[in-house]
Amino acid sequence: MALMNTLEVRDLSYSYPDGKPALRGVSMHAAGGECVGIVGPNGAGKSTLLLHLNGILPEDDSRQGEVVICGERITNSNLHEVHRMVGLLFQDPDDQLFCPTVSEDVAFGPAQFGFPAAEIDRIVRESLRQVGLEGFERRSPHHLSGGEKQRVCLAGILACNPSILVLDEPTSDLDPRGRRELARLIRGLPATRVIASHDLELVLDLCSRVYLLDGGEVVASGAAAEILSDEELMVAHGLEKPHSLQHRHPHT
Amino acid sequence: MRHEYIDRYARLDSPVHRLPPGLKLAIALALVISTVMVPISAIPYFAACALLLLIVIFLAHLPFRFVALRLLTLEPLAGGVGILALMQHDGLLMLIRILVKSNLCLLTMIVLSNTTPFDGILGVLRSLRVPQLLVTVLALMYRYVFLLIDQSERMTRARKSRTFAPRRGGRWKTAAGIVGQLFIRSTERAERIYAAMSARGWR
């Protein structure tokens, strides 16, 4: 199927409740299984765009344009299916870990989708194993380290078995080891992935294509190495050329 | 970060901790209700109650110092109401009644919350068919109260590190500022949590 796991945003505009425009005519797409990066300075509209991909922001007067998931346009009536197809990892793990224990949190999605209890248990165990946190079931989220929290969040999303994974600054709270492990994990996932990040090395490492967002608009898009190595463009939009693209000698 | 204020000892291993949460909740509720209902003249009842709670504290390996401190933190509430009662006719008796009863109830709750993990209590509420929405609200409250404590501590620390000439008036003003900030941040966080819940199928 041509439309499997695809994502398309067509001419999306959105204003905040106070009338300030956040997105102006953004168009982007991701093919099935592709990993796409979204980069841009603070306040460029990255997080707002990601919220639209999951249908969190309602369809009303403040929003024009459309978001199409797996060939189906997001409307107010199919939000539930959209939530199931698109997994969204939020920037602050504490926003996402809202249950008293790790296992309840990972089970939240499957429970909402009405899976039987035995199946949920199996999914929770499998998802925790996938992120390398076996045996964390009974722990409370407030006793976890930043990296562990981020991985529990990811497990909670993997438990919903989404066809599209949307990640907002997945590495901002992590130490280098946590970052490396998360990158390895994300790379190994079969789902279509959209990653918004200031961690340009991560984007370069994982994403085949990137969109550069500034002031709510897509100012450039193309192959990751090509866009990120354009020093003038990057600096003009509050970013920088990643270190690994700075030198001509190979980094080993 | 220290996350030990509220139920620091809830996950110890002792005969009391091993009892089923439902039983402990039932006993605690029965104790609270009967303490409220029994007339103050029934001194043996209150003595027996206090003794029972002390024995439970001992069996559960809860440090007496910790329990006493917790009780002391909550005392202003009970004490305040008691002092207001002094204005009334027969005020002294009323004060004694309020202090004895509220302290016993508070002690019961402190012991319960430090011998039973909160998710155990939530599990009991769920199995008693308490409305799902109420259980969810309780679960969220428990989850985020620690975060609030952390946040207010960080803000207080940041204030301290930039206070050079402490003045009483200034301190009250910044304290009010911190409370206001906490409120705003909490509302914003509530919105983000709701978004995160929706993203995983909540409706």
Side-chain angles (χ1 to χ4, degrees), chain A residues 83 94-95 97 105 138, chain B residues 119 143-144 189 192 200:
Chain A
H83 292 331
D94 277 322
D95 291 342
L97 296 175
D105 210 280
R138 292 273 292 155
Chain B
D119 51 292
R143 167 70 182 91
Y144 286 102
R189 188 182 286 283
R192 294 197 303 270
R200 282 198 282 158

Side-chain angles (χ1 to χ4, degrees), chain B residues 66-130:
Chain B
F66 167 78
V67 177
L69 273 177
R70 292 289 306 146
L71 198 56
L72 213 61
T73 348
L74 295 168
E75 207 57 54
L77 290 175
V81 177
I83 285 168
L84 281 181
L86 269 183
M87 317 273 184
Q88 284 180 343
H89 175 65
D90 256 354
L92 193 62
L93 187 67
M94 189 77 100
L95 173 70
I96 293 172
R97 188 185 293 162
I98 289 172
L99 282 186
V100 169
K101 290 193 172 189
S102 57
N103 273 314
L104 275 178
C105 292
L106 287 174
L107 195 58
T108 312
M109 281 309 162
I110 292 169
V111 172
L112 175 71
S113 60
N114 278 288
T115 52
T116 317
F118 198 71
D119 51 292
I121 296 179
L122 288 178
V124 174
L125 293 183
R126 246 179 234 129
S127 62
L128 288 177
R129 310 215 170 257
V130 171

Side-chain angles (χ1 to χ4, degrees), chain A residues 1-8 10 30 32 68-72 164:
Chain A
M1 258 203 333
L3 294 176
M4 195 112 105
N5 303 354
T6 58
L7 176 150
E8 191 165 1
R10 291 186 201 132
V68 181
I69 304 292
C70 303
E72 208 172 318
I164 299 170

Side-chain angles (χ1 to χ4, degrees), chain A residues 54 56 80 83 86 88 90 92 94-101 104-105 108-109 112-113 138 140-143 156 160, chain B residues 3 7 11 117-120 122 126 139-140 142-144 146-147 189 192-203:
Chain A
N54 184 275
I56 292 293
H80 207 56
H83 292 331
V86 182
L88 183 51
F90 286 75
D92 181 350
D94 277 322
D95 291 342
Q96 189 152 2
L97 296 175
F98 43 75
C99 296
T101 62
E104 280 174 79
D105 210 280
F108 184 85
Q112 293 299 315
F113 301 131
R138 292 273 292 155
S140 319
H142 63 263
H143 289 307
C160 304
Chain B
H3 304 282
D7 59 349
R11 289 177 194 278
F118 198 71
D119 51 292
L122 288 178
R126 246 179 234 129
L140 286 172
Y142 177 75
R143 167 70 182 91
Y144 286 102
F146 294 98
L147 222 64
R189 188 182 286 283
R192 294 197 303 270
I193 295 166
Y194 180 69
M197 290 174 80
S198 307
R200 282 198 282 158
W202 172 266
R203 54 174 167 184

Side-chain angles (χ1 to χ4, degrees), chain A residues 50-127:
Chain A
L50 296 195
L51 289 179
H52 279 289
L53 302 185
N54 184 275
I56 292 293
L57 297 172
E59 186 184 30
D60 59 17
D61 294 344
S62 57
R63 186 186 121 181
Q64 285 102 43
E66 52 187 18
V67 180
V68 181
I69 304 292
C70 303
E72 208 172 318
R73 187 168 165 267
I74 299 185
T75 64
N76 284 346
S77 55
N78 63 2
L79 286 181
H80 207 56
E81 290 87 85
V82 170
H83 292 331
R84 193 169 175 166
M85 286 190 282
V86 182
L88 183 51
L89 186 80
F90 286 75
Q91 198 165 355
D92 181 350
D94 277 322
D95 291 342
Q96 189 152 2
L97 296 175
F98 43 75
C99 296
T101 62
V102 166
S103 67
E104 280 174 79
D105 210 280
V106 179
F108 184 85
Q112 293 299 315
F113 301 131
F115 288 17
E119 179 68 4
I120 291 178
D121 276 350
R122 193 192 60 75
I123 293 174
V124 169
R125 246 179 298 129
E126 171 59 24
S127 306

